Amino acid sequence: MGTTGKKMQNKAQEAVGKAKEGAGRVTGKDDLRAKGKAEQGQARAKEAARRTKEAVTERVKGKHGS
């Protein structure tokens, strides 16, 4: 899967997490709210790792100078 696909996957996971958090807030289910927050955190961490990997790859290829 290309970087665009992974980026979209991370955004989708973050959106699902937000929905779960909101549903948990509305229904008063703290466990669902916590799961939603955790899922958002995982998505953000994956996206940060993807961006870091992309930056390192570009640097190694010499796209950003020496």
Side-chain angles (χ1 to χ4, degrees):
M1 180 178 298
T3 57
T4 302
K6 288 183 181 182
K7 181 177 181 179
M8 295 304 294
Q9 210 173 33
N10 295 336
K11 290 289 185 185
Q13 182 181 8
E14 187 174 359
V16 168
K18 284 182 183 182
K20 285 181 183 178
E21 181 185 4
R25 186 179 300 118
V26 169
T27 61
K29 294 184 178 181
D30 291 335
D31 60 329
L32 183 58
R33 186 175 176 191
K35 284 180 185 178
K37 283 187 164 222
E39 198 160 333
Q40 290 175 67
Q42 289 173 346
R44 289 184 193 123
K46 285 179 186 178
E47 183 58 20
R50 185 198 65 78
R51 285 192 313 262
T52 300
K53 181 180 176 184
E54 188 176 272
V56 169
T57 300
E58 288 178 7
R59 183 76 153 179
V60 169
K61 288 181 179 179
K63 290 186 177 182
H64 289 290
S66 53

